[in-house]
Amino acid sequence: MKQQNKKKFHQTYMARFGLFLHPNLSIHLLILLIMNAICITSSIGVFEMFNYDLLSFSIMSLTLFILISTLIEVILKIFIFRHFTNIYLKSFGILPTITQFVLFYLTQLILKDELVFTKFVNIIYLTLVFIVLRFFLIIIYQRYIMKKITRSI
């Protein structure tokens, strides 16, 4: 019975779109936290490579930024998919991009003095690079890890 539920999860549209990465919420949260950490640090690294001053931060504030934004993202995702699933899926990525932008902005407001974007437009730049990197990371996760999980079921 448990194996059938896992197989059903991996065949749902939420798993295929990469919206939920594991049927267990705590494991999904851990996977998403790792992905967000990789994507945010890589996004900042891309801008640092071109000597573009994206934001000023300390390691602790960046860690808090990643933790808070991931937690808010999961809570927001659960709320959206309970009430606005069709609108979210039919928006062709516009609504998730706006949601991620607002999420980064709110998290930056929570960490007022600790993590500061040098310009307002830098939040948009970080959001766009972050979304592209996470998109590719989710594809890699789905192709290699989820295939192994579904084969073992």
Side-chain angles (χ1 to χ4, degrees), residues 29 32-33 36-37 40 61-77 99-108 110-111 126 130 134:
L29 185 62
L32 192 63
L33 185 64
N36 285 353
I40 288 175
S61 64
L62 184 63
T63 306
L64 284 173
F65 181 81
I66 293 167
L67 282 170
I68 292 170
S69 65
T70 302
L71 289 173
I72 294 172
E73 179 183 357
V74 169
I75 292 168
L76 195 61
K77 225 184 246 186
T99 305
Q100 197 68 46
F101 167 75
V102 170
L103 181 76
F104 283 164
Y105 180 71
L106 289 175
T107 307
Q108 187 251 341
I110 292 170
L111 299 171
L126 178 68
F130 171 81
R134 192 166 71 173

Side-chain angles (χ1 to χ4, degrees), residues 32-123:
L32 192 63
L33 185 64
I34 292 168
M35 281 189 181
N36 285 353
I38 290 169
C39 293
I40 288 175
T41 54
S42 299
S43 300
I44 293 170
V46 166
F47 287 101
E48 289 292 325
M49 189 172 62
F50 295 110
N51 294 325
Y52 185 79
D53 192 23
L54 189 67
L55 58 128
S56 61
F57 62 93
S58 65
I59 298 298
M60 190 63 176
S61 64
L62 184 63
T63 306
L64 284 173
F65 181 81
I66 293 167
L67 282 170
I68 292 170
S69 65
T70 302
L71 289 173
I72 294 172
E73 179 183 357
V74 169
I75 292 168
L76 195 61
K77 225 184 246 186
I78 291 171
F79 174 76
I80 287 173
F81 283 111
R82 290 216 175 163
H83 302 288
F84 308 107
T85 306
N86 288 335
I87 297 169
Y88 197 79
L89 293 175
K90 291 178 182 177
S91 70
F92 296 108
I94 295 170
L95 194 59
T97 305
I98 293 170
T99 305
Q100 197 68 46
F101 167 75
V102 170
L103 181 76
F104 283 164
Y105 180 71
L106 289 175
T107 307
Q108 187 251 341
L109 287 179
I110 292 170
L111 299 171
K112 296 178 208 175
D113 301 326
E114 305 294 321
L115 185 130
V116 179
F117 285 90
T118 53
K119 299 176 190 170
F120 183 76
V121 74
N122 289 350
I123 301 174

